[in-house]
Amino acid sequence: MDGFIYFLIQSVNGLKLGSVYAIVAVGYSMVYGILRLINFAHGDIMTVGVYTILVLMTAFGVPLWVTVLLSVVIAIAVGLATERIAYRPLRTAGEEATLISSLAVSIFMQNLIMMIFSPQRRAFHLPEYLSRLHTIGFIKLSTMNIITFAAVFIILIVLSLVIKKTRIGMAMRACSDNLNASKLMGININAVIVTAFAIGSGLAALSGLMLAGEYKTIDPLMGFVPGLKAFCAAVLGGIGSLSGAVLGGFILGIAEMLFAGLMPTDFTAYRDAFVFVLLILVLLVRPYGILGSKEGGRS
Amino acid sequence: MLEINKLSVKYDNIRVLHYISMQIRKGEMVALIGANGAGKTTVLRTISGLLKAESGEILFEGKDITKMSSHNIVASGIIHVPEGRQIFTKMTIEENLKLGAYLQRDRSVIKRNFEKVFSLFPILKQRLHQQAGTLSGGEQQMLAIGRALLGNPKLLLLDEPSMGLSPIMTQQVFSVLESLKKEGITMLLVEQNAYEALEISDRAYILETGNITLEGRSSGLIQDPNVKKAYLGGD
Ligand SMILES: Nc1ncnc2c1ncn2[C@@H]1O[C@H](COP(=O)(O)OP(=O)(O)OP(=O)(O)O)[C@@H](O)[C@H]1O
Ligand SMILES: [Mg+2]
């Protein structure tokens, strides 16, 4: 019985982590769908968001919701700047060029944050009312966890409605289906690309807050590995497919927490490696991911 | 309506169009004929802003569109049915058509154009909610033309609409072009099917390795011994 309860608890922890991966993966997948760009700097946008919150919270004492809003705005600004400076000029140069450019952006941002804030790990405390624990059966959830679940749920619903029902959503789907034909329909593809980057960067900032709130520490490299895992989640679910990204995010989060919780402690250090191995195994069976199609279509 | 002056276009460092000039008058149907690799698609892609000219200018209704971005060119009324159809394969037929009307604001115009497309291509109406990728090649071509009509074209650019189609489908496509012509839509038609293109068009240009080598009334060109030899497979 204890074993089962432990399993349940780890599954819930996996859901927490998975919901964070899911919204990062959605942003990743959206940009990839349109530009075929694997944006390594995506995770570092998350770090930018978190450090923005840290500065505003500790230095200025602004209310938390204003802080969060500002961090989203700044993350979007940084995301759009990277698109303008590092990706758009290379758009005709091929996928390899933008891939390398995104690695450069990632390393640049990590180092810039280290220069400004020092490479040191820092404590990150949410206000007391957010970290208060609630016990539901055997499971303990903080207020922040509950808000996170609700927020992720709402974000995913709204996003899928936007993509299915709105004009800009239809334009985004068209661009990821056939970029050149989209231009011939009169779609301003730069506006669509900017929208995808803005959504992705904003979601990255929110997920950064969720991760920092959970782990209670932050450092300048904190976004990189979750960014990579979100990319894995997007690939696992079928890159370019938004529902695939969500599914992949939850699968990875749960699998990672079960691995960390159920393996002997000697092995838990390998949880990151486990995620990548899992990805490889899935791709061996389904090369285009769980919900992906051959052309990397959105579903 | 469209005036191309001394246009040259390069890919990387290779010039594929050499200072060509063309004119299309309102209501006219002009054919652009040439062998594989002559540069026909390049002409169309440059007109619609997918490629940038190296030098020269393109005027549409008197306005210089040479440096305009493609969405603004579409907004000004130039609609391009690209080579290989380029439909949105993962979206439904209805969504493809709606995307054709992406810049149209007037609902009554959109509705009228939808009805026009359905009467030209009844098959599209029957399969409105299917994924466009499931259509046959000929049906995809109809969708590509239908999608373009929803953009309310002043000038329609057609890049080898008969490519890869069966003779029956080809006839069907040409009869649709015929009826669009009667409606007064101005068209620039790129074709390898030179005989059909000269039959249906008012005037034509012959493009050879990036140079316009011949131009004139189609009815005259169809009799021209050089044209016959090179493009009509006759003597
Ligand atoms: N993206 C490209 N990069 C480099 N060269 C290109 C590119 N696209 C076309 N070309 C070259 O430009 C020339 C003209 O090509 P274009 O596609 O305009 O010819 P076309 O007349 O449309 O031929 P087809 O009848 O085969 O469609 C060709 O020599 C072709 O190889
Ligand atoms: Mg061509």
Side-chain angles (χ1 to χ4, degrees):
Chain A
M1 189 60 196
D2 275 1
F4 180 68
I5 291 167
Y6 188 57
F7 177 84
L8 267 187
I9 291 172
Q10 281 307 94
S11 302
V12 172
N13 284 335
L15 279 178
K16 286 188 215 165
L17 190 60
S19 58
V20 175
Y21 289 162
I23 58 171
V24 186
V26 162
Y28 231 117
S29 206
M30 230 171 195
V31 167
Y32 178 89
I34 298 171
L35 290 179
R36 306 292 183 260
L37 161 67
I38 298 168
N39 183 10
F40 279 109
H42 196 99
D44 302 300
I45 299 279
M46 204 185 222
T47 318
V48 169
V50 170
Y51 274 85
T52 309
I53 293 179
L54 181 81
V55 169
L56 292 173
M57 252 185 353
T58 52
F60 302 103
V62 245
L64 187 65
W65 70 269
V66 178
T67 307
V68 172
L69 199 70
L70 279 176
S71 87
V72 168
V73 169
I74 287 177
I76 290 176
V78 173
L80 296 190
T82 60
E83 190 275 327
R84 193 69 190 79
I85 297 166
Y87 306 140
R88 195 180 299 185
L90 293 174
R91 206 179 286 159
T92 51
E95 289 161 24
E96 301 83 3
T98 44
L99 176 92
I100 291 166
S101 181
S102 85
L103 259 179
V105 171
S106 170
I107 294 167
F108 175 79
M109 289 208 294
Q110 290 169 3
N111 283 281
L112 190 67
I113 296 170
M114 283 197 244
M115 274 171 61
I116 301 174
F117 295 97
S118 96
Q120 225 121 79
R121 198 170 271 277
R122 285 164 188 251
F124 184 92
H125 291 299
L126 289 171
E128 201 273 327
Y129 64 90
L130 283 179
S131 35
R132 191 176 302 142
L133 288 177
H134 310 266
T135 311
I136 305 160
F138 307 102
I139 292 151
K140 287 193 171 63
L141 289 175
S142 67
T143 310
M144 179 67 186
N145 292 147
I146 295 168
I147 294 176
T148 299
F149 282 136
V152 167
F153 185 73
I154 293 169
I155 287 169
L156 292 177
I157 301 259
V158 169
L159 206 55
S160 79
L161 284 178
V162 166
I163 284 170
K164 282 209 185 79
K165 306 275 184 205
T166 65
R167 191 172 131 90
I168 181 76
M170 187 157 83
M172 290 177 87
R173 282 186 293 137
C175 285
S176 82
D177 194 319
N178 189 329
L179 199 58
N180 263 326
S182 300
K183 291 183 196 167
L184 296 179
M185 300 301 107
I187 295 171
N188 180 348
I189 64 152
N190 281 331
V192 172
I193 290 166
V194 161
T195 308
F197 267 90
I199 293 174
S201 305
L203 292 181
L206 287 179
S207 55
L209 170 66
M210 295 167 186
L211 269 189
E214 189 66 21
Y215 292 137
K216 301 189 171 55
T217 67
I218 66 175
D219 68 86
L221 304 180
M222 64 173 282
F224 190 70
V225 170
L228 273 187
K229 286 185 190 160
F231 171 63
C232 289
V235 174
L236 185 78
I239 193 133
S241 151
L242 295 192
S243 32
V246 174
L247 183 68
F250 279 106
I251 291 178
L252 273 198
I254 293 170
E256 183 179 338
M257 286 322 267
L258 288 180
F259 180 85
L262 302 178
M263 291 303 270
T265 33
D266 285 351
F267 285 100
T268 54
Y270 295 108
R271 61 194 256 188
D272 292 348
F274 168 72
V275 167
F276 300 125
V277 170
L278 182 69
L279 174 70
I280 292 169
L281 290 179
V282 171
L283 291 185
L284 282 177
V285 186
R286 290 199 53 94
Y288 302 107
I290 299 170
L291 299 181
S293 61
K294 192 167 176 174
E295 310 85 19
R298 244 165 231 266
S299 50
Chain B
M1 181 176 227
L2 187 81
E3 194 175 328
I4 298 175
N5 292 322
K6 301 203 177 66
L7 178 72
S8 67
V9 179
K10 275 185 180 177
Y11 287 110
D12 301 321
N13 277 321
I14 304 160
R15 186 175 295 138
V16 297
L17 291 182
H18 306 272
Y19 310 103
I20 65 163
S21 297
M22 295 172 69
Q23 291 83 38
I24 301 172
R25 285 182 281 272
K26 196 165 162 38
E28 223 181 11
M29 181 170 194
V30 173
L32 178 61
I33 290 164
N36 285 110
K40 307 177 296 293
T41 297
T42 305
V43 173
L44 296 196
R45 288 170 62 85
T46 311
I47 296 173
S48 54
L50 296 178
L51 289 173
K52 289 296 156 224
E54 178 200 4
S55 65
E57 59 174 9
I58 305 173
L59 306 176
F60 181 61
E61 296 184 313
K63 202 169 57 184
D64 189 352
I65 62 166
T66 322
K67 293 196 164 57
M68 262 175 30
S69 52
S70 48
H71 61 273
N72 290 325
I73 293 176
V74 174
S76 72
I78 298 180
I79 311 287
H80 182 166
V81 181
E83 186 173 63
R85 320 185 239 283
Q86 306 286 331
I87 57 163
F88 299 100
T89 52
K90 279 159 277 178
M91 300 174 80
T92 65
I93 289 154
E94 184 176 30
E95 286 173 325
N96 270 269
L97 294 172
K98 278 187 178 161
L99 281 163
Y102 188 75
L103 293 179
Q104 302 301 312
R105 296 290 179 176
D106 187 336
R107 280 174 188 279
S108 63
V109 173
I110 295 176
K111 191 158 178 285
R112 201 177 60 222
N113 284 333
F114 256 98
E115 272 153 21
K116 177 163 109 187
V117 168
F118 289 151
S119 75
L120 284 172
F121 308 114
I123 181 86
L124 297 182
K125 188 171 189 178
Q126 286 162 28
R127 303 181 59 178
L128 215 47
H129 301 292
Q130 282 183 25
Q131 261 205 350
T134 64
L135 294 174
S136 75
E139 291 161 352
Q140 291 192 5
Q141 187 63 62
M142 293 175 183
L143 178 58
I145 296 173
R147 183 179 69 175
L149 293 177
L150 276 158
N152 224 16
K154 289 182 191 162
L155 171 64
L156 194 57
L157 310 175
L158 295 142
D159 198 342
E160 302 202 34
S162 73
M163 187 170 64
L165 301 191
S166 69
I168 295 175
M169 275 290 186
T170 303
Q171 284 317 312
Q172 216 168 328
V173 166
F174 274 103
S175 79
V176 166
L177 298 186
E178 188 97 62
S179 69
L180 295 179
K181 185 183 171 193
K182 286 210 186 84
E183 248 180 70
I185 297 180
T186 313
M187 281 181 272
L188 175 57
L189 171 67
V190 162
E191 262 299 335
Q192 296 232 9
N193 219 324
Y195 185 78
E196 298 278 6
L198 289 174
E199 281 271 272
I200 192 178
S201 58
D202 303 308
R203 285 189 311 116
Y205 291 84
I206 310 262
L207 190 64
E208 277 175 28
T209 55
N211 295 287
I212 302 272
T213 52
L214 209 58
E215 61 176 283
R217 299 210 61 81
S218 303
S219 51
L221 289 176
I222 214 167
Q223 306 293 343
D224 186 291
N226 290 324
V227 174
K228 271 192 177 168
K229 202 161 132 202
Y231 300 102
L232 302 177
D235 45 7

